[in-house]
Amino acid sequence: MSRHETSGHEAKRELFDAFASVAKVLSSGRRAEIVDILAQGERPVDDISREIDQTIANTSQHLQQLLRAGLVKSRRDGTRIYYSLSGTAVSRLWAAVRDVAAEHVAKLDELATSYLGDRSALTTMTRTEVYERIGSGDLVVIDVRPEAEFRAGHIAGATSVTLKELEKWLDELPNDRLIVAYCRGPYCVFADNAVRTLSRHGFKAARLEEGYPEWKEAGLPVEAKTDLPGHDRAS
Amino acid sequence: MSRHETSGHEAKRELFDAFASVAKVLSSGRRAEIVDILAQGERPVDDISREIDQTIANTSQHLQQLLRAGLVKSRRDGTRIYYSLSGTAVSRLWAAVRDVAAEHVAKLDELATSYLGDRSALTTMTRTEVYERIGSGDLVVIDVRPEAEFRAGHIAGATSVTLKELEKWLDELPNDRLIVAYCRGPYCVFADNAVRTLSRHGFKAARLEEGYPEWKEAGLPVEAKTDLPGHDRAS
DNA sequence: CGAGTATTCAACTATCTACTTGAATACGGC
DNA sequence: GCCGTATTCAAGTAGATAGTTGAATACTCG
């Protein structure tokens, strides 16, 4: 069974290697974490390295791999270099990876529970439920992601309340309205913890089932930092 | 910057490693080819090994990796073992990978042209265009994939005409109706070649923009082999 | 211009991966 | 039960990959 014979086979191999190169760049857990973070909006290198708990040098190298593969782009602003996903197709790919894992990876539930804790006691709401009630005013939406992500873009009308600030805010939050917390996506801990804390203090609280990227992708209203044009440096 | 410290970080690492394991299994061009084939329907090992031009042993090992990751399932029928995708989420993931590659991988156009040839002269039709005209009878739809794939499932009303058979069929095909050829997906050569051959012989011919998996995923009418239940062996 | 900070580069190591080869196992038909 | 075919297993090798460390580059601010 000889390989490398006809140019047709060779060309097919190369084409599918190119498809595979896209998957390959997502085949490291650390790069997956990076994509999950960048799905929230652009971030500088040192910020990302802290989030994924890796050295700056290592984080930088992961980012270059993502750059070379075309999944992210970078722009310089003064001394900092901001990375961001190169398009919504990348967000959709990341969601597709999570979907397959959720459906077909045997031990995923176990790993998710080990990271997120028991979710059975938490009330959840879908995008549409939140969107429909957000106008009526009987709902308070809080964004519990790191502030940088809130600044890069958030659900229209949401307030930034990080977990550290949450304790201080307990006096100011309304007792008579439902508080909906959201964060990065279906496997993000922040919202879970916020809802647990709020429930413990007697508030009515729920978690948005998914996160900001899915809300934005669905075309629901957001408030986003306008990307400064002309500074981009594509892959 | 110490790693492996809090159990929270450890659990997050493991969760994202699990997501990454899904991408990892698609990070080989040969496994990507396998998924592209299995998206058409179930196939036995030796069949797949011929398609991807690899030894049976190597193909088997790739299939086990896909199996372990949960992307495919297998069932035994006598002496043969048939592999198939474990769900539609996997098809969607494969499509998402191709989309990202098409949009963001720099040299993809070049590789695609090198494999498929110049497509600028080929007429293409979308799913909906074909579906709307398929009933009116002024259209002949031919399936130019290997016959095994046609047998596993095809567009309702399509006829199987492999490239080898095409020359013989030239007398029987109608001169007054548009002939639409389709195959595996947007990067499949068979339909391109069929349309070129037909055009050269004076037929009106067009290529369906995408392939059978996308048609099926869109919920359009298909004729598929009913999956024998009770014989499945999940991941 | 010089100091300070953010990021990238380069060299190195331990581990993993794809593919090969040859043998082992599992089933169907006689 | 034995033979032929389909598939898997096991061992080996060349090449790739993630992470470390320390130095180099690129920009800002005084």
Side-chain angles (χ1 to χ4, degrees):
Chain A
M1 192 153 289
S2 60
R3 232 122 287 114
H4 313 296
E5 73 285 51
T6 71
S7 66
H9 268 128
E10 186 60 31
K12 184 179 183 186
R13 273 176 47 114
E14 285 178 23
L15 178 60
F16 279 80
D17 282 349
F19 290 137
S21 73
V22 169
K24 185 174 231 157
V25 88
L26 274 179
S27 73
S28 139
R30 255 27 67 217
R31 285 195 293 272
E33 287 190 55
I34 291 175
V35 169
D36 196 50
I37 290 161
L38 294 185
Q40 315 302 317
E42 64 169 20
R43 297 293 281 283
V45 181
D46 66 327
D47 231 7
I48 298 167
S49 93
R50 234 170 292 115
E51 290 275 1
I52 69 172
D53 192 29
Q54 297 286 309
T55 63
I56 292 187
N58 191 21
T59 303
S60 172
Q61 289 179 141
H62 279 307
L63 285 166
Q64 322 250 340
Q65 286 193 56
L66 287 161
L67 196 60
R68 258 178 272 133
L71 298 222
V72 308
K73 59 185 199 286
S74 67
R75 77 180 174 91
R76 175 157 229 145
D77 183 16
T79 172
R80 281 201 161 76
I81 292 181
Y82 288 83
Y83 282 86
S84 55
L85 297 192
S86 54
T88 57
V90 181
S91 280
R92 284 193 296 271
L93 172 59
W94 172 230
V97 169
R98 277 181 292 151
D99 284 352
V100 168
E103 246 178 83
H104 300 299
V105 172
K107 57 180 182 182
L108 196 91
D109 281 350
E110 185 193 328
L111 289 171
T113 304
S114 151
Y115 176 48
L116 302 164
D118 179 20
R119 283 181 146 180
S120 59
L122 302 174
T123 314
T124 62
M125 291 180 76
T126 65
R127 292 194 285 273
T128 34
E129 284 171 346
V130 171
Y131 176 61
E132 280 162 9
R133 287 181 58 180
I134 210 168
S136 65
D138 61 341
L139 215 66
V140 177
V141 180
I142 62 174
D143 183 321
V144 292
R145 297 173 300 163
E147 226 185 311
E149 296 175 17
F150 178 83
R151 265 183 273 117
H154 54 263
I155 293 180
T159 312
S160 174
V161 184
T162 62
L163 288 179
K164 281 180 183 168
E165 300 168 339
L166 187 57
E167 301 279 348
K168 301 179 216 154
W169 277 70
L170 290 175
D171 297 331
E172 307 192 34
L173 286 168
N175 249 315
D176 54 337
R177 287 153 77 194
L178 178 63
I179 301 168
V180 179
Y182 74 90
C183 52
R184 288 175 181 159
Y187 297 95
C188 176
V189 267
F190 305 137
D192 286 37
N193 289 339
V195 171
R196 288 199 183 95
T197 301
L198 290 169
S199 299
R200 211 181 314 117
H201 285 82
F203 291 93
K204 281 191 301 177
R207 186 178 64 81
L208 176 59
E209 220 169 49
E210 299 187 304
Y212 172 68
E214 293 84 7
W215 179 279
K216 188 181 178 188
E217 180 71 24
L220 295 171
V222 300
E223 289 165 19
K225 194 168 81 177
T226 51
D227 290 347
L228 316 167
H231 284 252
D232 290 71
R233 185 180 94 199
S235 86
Chain B
M1 193 153 288
S2 59
R3 235 123 285 113
H4 312 294
E5 74 284 51
T6 70
S7 65
H9 268 126
E10 186 60 29
K12 184 179 185 186
R13 272 177 47 116
E14 286 179 21
L15 178 60
F16 278 81
D17 283 348
F19 290 136
S21 73
V22 169
K24 184 175 233 156
V25 88
L26 274 179
S27 74
S28 140
R30 255 27 67 215
R31 285 195 293 273
E33 288 191 54
I34 292 175
V35 169
D36 195 49
I37 291 161
L38 295 185
Q40 314 302 318
E42 62 168 21
R43 295 296 281 283
V45 180
D46 66 328
D47 232 8
I48 299 167
S49 92
R50 235 171 291 116
E51 291 276 0
I52 68 172
D53 191 29
Q54 297 286 311
T55 62
I56 293 188
N58 192 21
T59 305
S60 172
Q61 288 178 143
H62 279 308
L63 284 166
Q64 321 250 340
Q65 285 192 57
L66 287 161
L67 196 60
R68 257 178 271 131
L71 298 222
V72 309
K73 59 184 198 285
S74 67
R75 78 179 174 91
R76 175 156 228 147
D77 183 14
T79 169
R80 280 200 162 79
I81 292 180
Y82 289 83
Y83 282 86
S84 55
L85 298 191
S86 54
T88 56
V90 181
S91 280
R92 283 194 296 271
L93 171 60
W94 172 231
V97 168
R98 277 182 291 151
D99 284 353
V100 168
E103 246 179 83
H104 301 299
V105 172
K107 59 181 180 181
L108 197 92
D109 281 348
E110 185 192 327
L111 290 172
T113 304
S114 151
Y115 176 48
L116 301 164
D118 180 18
R119 284 182 146 179
S120 59
L122 302 175
T123 314
T124 61
M125 291 180 76
T126 64
R127 289 195 287 273
T128 35
E129 284 171 346
V130 171
Y131 175 62
E132 280 162 9
R133 287 180 58 182
I134 209 169
S136 65
D138 61 340
L139 215 66
V140 177
V141 181
I142 62 173
D143 183 320
V144 293
R145 298 173 300 163
E147 226 186 311
E149 295 174 17
F150 178 83
R151 266 183 273 117
H154 54 264
I155 292 181
T159 312
S160 173
V161 184
T162 63
L163 288 179
K164 282 180 184 169
E165 299 169 337
L166 187 57
E167 301 278 348
K168 301 178 216 157
W169 276 72
L170 289 175
D171 297 332
E172 305 190 37
L173 286 168
N175 249 315
D176 55 337
R177 287 153 77 194
L178 177 62
I179 301 168
V180 180
Y182 74 90
C183 52
R184 288 177 180 159
Y187 296 95
C188 176
V189 267
F190 305 137
D192 285 37
N193 289 338
V195 171
R196 288 199 184 95
T197 301
L198 290 169
S199 300
R200 212 181 314 119
H201 285 83
F203 291 93
K204 282 191 299 179
R207 187 177 63 82
L208 176 60
E209 220 170 50
E210 298 187 306
Y212 171 68
E214 293 83 7
W215 179 279
K216 188 181 178 186
E217 179 72 25
L220 295 171
V222 300
E223 288 166 19
K225 194 167 80 179
T226 50
D227 290 346
L228 316 167
H231 284 251
D232 290 71
R233 184 179 96 202
S235 86

